[in-house]
Amino acid sequence: MGSPIEYLDGSDSRLCSRCATEKGVLITRKEVFCKACFIRFIRGKQRKQMQDEKYKVKYGKAKELAALNPTKILLALSMGISSLVLFDVIASLLQEQMEMHKGNTGFELVVLNIDEYELTSLNNSIQAVIPKLKSFFSYVDISFKVLNINSYILDETLIKRIRLYPDFHATMTDSDKNVSSGLKDLLLSCPNKSSAEDLLTIVFDELILRTAYVENCSTVVYGHNMTRIANEIIALTVKGRGSSIHEKVLDHVVHYQDKSIQIVYPLKDVLRAEVEAYCNLIGLSDLKLESTKPKATINRNMTIRDLTTNYFNQLDATGYASTASSVVKTGEKLGPPKNFESSGSQSITQCQVCGIDIHQNPQNWLKRITVNESAPLVTEEDEEYLKLYNESKSAMASLGETEESEAITNPLGICYGCIVTLSSIKAEDGFLWPIRNSAQEKEDILNEYILTEDEEE
Ligand SMILES: [Zn+2]
Ligand SMILES: [Zn+2]
């Protein structure tokens, strides 16, 4: 038995350590739980993370204000077990509020699914599952939204051909081809599976924020459990996105257009094995959607996330589940790069591929480790970048002078993480991708909202 949870069979007569009356069904964290107490225990983890007044039922003056501007929470429902469990946990909170406050609730819930059916060959379509979800959660009032992944492309003229140069400058030029292909096709031309996975994460994050923005949701909740968060922290580090750990996998506030949106991970204290147990106990497991694509079994064919997932699976199996907790605790200590906030000498720009703040020009840093002879190559990664640099230099030799001058006329602002992701694109082909244009985005997003209304349930 390697799981952090031990299931008790019918012959085991141990009683639940919480209520001391019911028969125990499982042991987790060295405690015996009956079904009801275990469910209450997991729900308690969410209640603890979301104690803010704004989620509570309001009275008096606060009630009048809330009537004008109700608190709305967006739940990102991937249909994996963690997000399904979070859905149940939040729905139960709404139910509790209604029972205790004469039918009133402290917030409204909007549930968003980004349809992955085609992209990841899901075992079932979200449209087929929504009626079952609605009947499962019929005791609460919820607004369901389903978004097509192609809605990430706000404007086809923003699909540019991105090129990376040997000195790590990036350029964008108008695509010469007539681009009518969707995001799936653009992702198919990704240099490798990890790049596609990384870009897809960018797409999901943006679509979720955009929906929160147009739906007036001041909070977004993700179902990530502790194991998943630890996994993301390691994966971000490997992908060269370590500087955004504080704003990708931990509770934080995002300033999106003219609004502030709070991002909360209410299940961050719950282990994956506990999420699985909860899902099975309440009978939600049948509703989960998963990819039917066979999983890569050879390391070489795995994405970065496949590898880190395997790593944590193995830790769980060998009883080192506390590693996840240590990784999350370490991640929580990280913040944005400090010296750049106060100095003011360097204005912060945004990456035109993923939208994050660029605190430090990645080209300077990369040049320092790859070009400057005096900087010693310390790690294997350094060696990799030198190899990369030499490869791209020889690839560049085949390109004309005119191409190089584009670096000056059509520069693309790009962060270190996106350079890593796109580093293996061929210089002569470039890579087609919708770039970000913050000046134009707000209007496009509002227009997009009208366009997608027919997709709403
Ligand atoms: Zn009990
Ligand atoms: Zn970026």
Side-chain angles (χ1 to χ4, degrees):
M1 262 308 285
S3 166
I5 286 192
E6 187 188 332
Y7 290 92
L8 304 179
D9 60 28
S11 61
D12 202 306
S13 58
R14 275 177 281 182
L15 289 178
C16 169
S17 67
R18 295 269 164 128
C19 62
T21 48
E22 295 296 317
K23 221 162 94 54
V25 292
L26 58 83
I27 301 175
T28 186
R29 308 184 195 212
K30 302 191 177 82
E31 233 189 295
V32 179
F33 285 92
C34 70
K35 180 180 167 182
C37 288
F38 178 72
I39 287 170
R40 196 176 310 120
F41 170 69
I42 300 297
R43 288 177 177 173
K45 297 283 177 191
Q46 176 273 328
R47 309 292 194 264
K48 203 177 132 213
Q49 298 298 332
M50 294 174 69
Q51 286 179 329
D52 198 292
E53 284 300 317
K54 71 176 179 179
Y55 308 123
K56 293 182 180 154
V57 179
K58 287 101 187 155
Y59 286 96
K61 196 95 195 135
K63 189 179 179 180
E64 287 168 37
L65 286 171
L68 296 170
N69 187 19
T71 300
K72 286 177 84 178
I73 297 180
L74 182 86
L75 189 147
L77 185 74
S78 69
M79 294 301 292
I81 56 165
S82 269
S83 66
L84 280 168
V85 166
L86 180 62
F87 192 178
D88 185 78
V89 164
I90 302 247
S92 76
L93 176 58
L94 284 170
Q95 189 182 29
E96 266 169 34
Q97 290 181 338
M98 287 191 291
E99 282 166 5
M100 290 167 69
H101 301 272
K102 301 193 176 81
N104 292 314
T105 59
F107 58 93
E108 292 171 22
L109 186 61
V110 179
V111 174
L112 169 70
N113 174 262
I114 298 165
D115 195 353
E116 289 179 68
Y117 184 63
E118 228 191 306
L119 193 77
T120 45
S121 316
L122 292 178
N123 55 340
N124 202 349
S125 76
I126 181 73
Q127 276 79 15
V129 181
I130 280 184
K132 292 180 199 161
L133 270 178
K134 279 188 170 166
S135 78
F136 193 96
F137 294 108
S138 59
Y139 58 91
V140 279
D141 195 18
I142 291 153
S143 147
F144 274 98
K145 313 227 167 271
V146 177
L147 260 189
N148 185 306
I149 196 147
N150 282 326
S151 47
Y152 180 74
I153 306 171
L154 287 170
D155 177 349
E156 290 193 353
T157 64
L158 287 178
I159 300 179
K160 303 285 185 188
R161 191 172 296 280
I162 296 173
R163 286 195 172 90
L164 282 179
Y165 288 82
D167 63 353
F168 299 108
H169 270 93
T171 65
M172 54 171 173
T173 46
D174 285 337
S175 143
D176 31 22
K177 264 200 301 202
N178 187 12
V179 190
S180 55
S181 50
L183 208 72
K184 191 186 170 193
D185 295 312
L186 297 181
L187 286 166
L188 279 176
S189 58
C190 258
N192 56 59
K193 283 203 283 181
S194 283
S195 307
E197 180 182 85
D198 189 47
L199 291 172
L200 201 57
T201 308
I202 294 168
V203 168
F204 276 56
D205 286 351
E206 170 65 18
L207 285 177
I208 289 164
L209 282 178
R210 224 185 255 171
T211 308
Y213 179 77
V214 292
E215 292 290 329
N216 261 321
C217 296
S218 58
T219 302
V220 173
V221 288
Y222 282 90
H224 295 29
N225 56 63
M226 186 198 289
T227 320
R228 168 77 193 273
I229 291 175
N231 189 353
E232 289 292 320
I233 289 174
I234 301 289
L236 281 169
T237 310
V238 176
K239 290 192 290 187
R241 296 193 184 277
S243 69
S244 55
I245 286 172
H246 70 283
E247 56 181 10
K248 288 290 179 224
V249 287
L250 305 166
D251 291 1
H252 64 283
V253 174
V254 177
H255 301 287
Y256 189 85
Q257 303 293 343
D258 50 352
K259 288 179 191 166
S260 294
I261 300 171
Q262 197 162 4
I263 311 292
V264 184
Y265 296 88
L267 301 184
K268 69 176 176 191
D269 285 342
V270 182
L271 293 165
R272 184 187 40 223
E274 291 171 335
V275 165
E276 277 165 14
Y278 184 104
C279 205
N280 291 333
L281 285 173
I282 59 163
L284 259 179
S285 301
D286 294 344
L287 294 180
K288 75 167 183 236
L289 297 182
E290 55 194 348
S291 174
T292 55
K293 284 186 185 170
K295 283 241 179 293
T297 47
I298 309 167
N299 279 3
R300 178 159 47 84
N301 292 336
M302 289 185 189
T303 65
I304 291 170
R305 195 179 288 150
D306 289 339
L307 287 169
T308 53
T309 303
N310 277 359
Y311 171 69
F312 281 105
N313 282 347
Q314 262 156 25
L315 285 180
D316 270 5
T318 48
Y320 286 96
S322 64
T323 309
S325 158
S326 310
V327 171
V328 173
K329 279 190 189 119
T330 309
E332 279 174 336
K333 294 194 180 102
L334 300 172
K338 282 212 174 59
N339 44 334
F340 297 98
E341 285 179 314
S342 51
S343 72
S345 60
Q346 194 175 10
S347 67
I348 292 174
T349 56
Q350 270 91 38
C351 172
Q352 286 176 281
V353 178
C354 73
I356 70 153
D357 288 341
I358 299 175
H359 298 275
Q360 186 181 15
N361 184 343
Q363 281 124 30
N364 294 345
W365 183 75
L366 281 165
K367 271 190 244 173
R368 223 169 36 238
I369 63 163
T370 52
V371 184
N372 194 334
E373 301 288 331
S374 64
L377 301 174
V378 184
T379 65
E380 254 175 59
E381 284 82 49
D382 292 349
E383 303 276 0
E384 271 297 304
Y385 288 122
L386 180 65
K387 207 174 115 223
L388 177 73
Y389 170 73
N390 287 332
E391 276 170 11
S392 57
K393 201 160 67 174
S394 56
M396 270 304 292
S398 60
L399 295 172
E401 284 285 309
T402 43
E403 299 262 352
E404 201 153 12
S405 70
E406 274 177 15
I408 301 136
T409 51
N410 294 309
L412 174 81
I414 188 164
C415 72
Y416 177 66
C418 287
I419 290 181
V420 172
T421 278
L422 299 178
S423 59
S424 45
I425 56 174
K426 292 197 182 76
E428 57 273 29
D429 299 340
F431 177 67
L432 289 174
W433 192 250
I435 61 125
R436 312 278 290 254
N437 179 335
S438 47
Q440 210 181 314
E441 268 174 10
K442 186 177 170 186
E443 199 161 321
D444 284 342
I445 290 165
L446 294 172
N447 290 340
E448 177 67 17
Y449 176 50
I450 297 160
L451 285 175
T452 54
E453 228 162 301
D454 59 340
E455 287 165 0
E456 290 170 15
E457 265 293 312

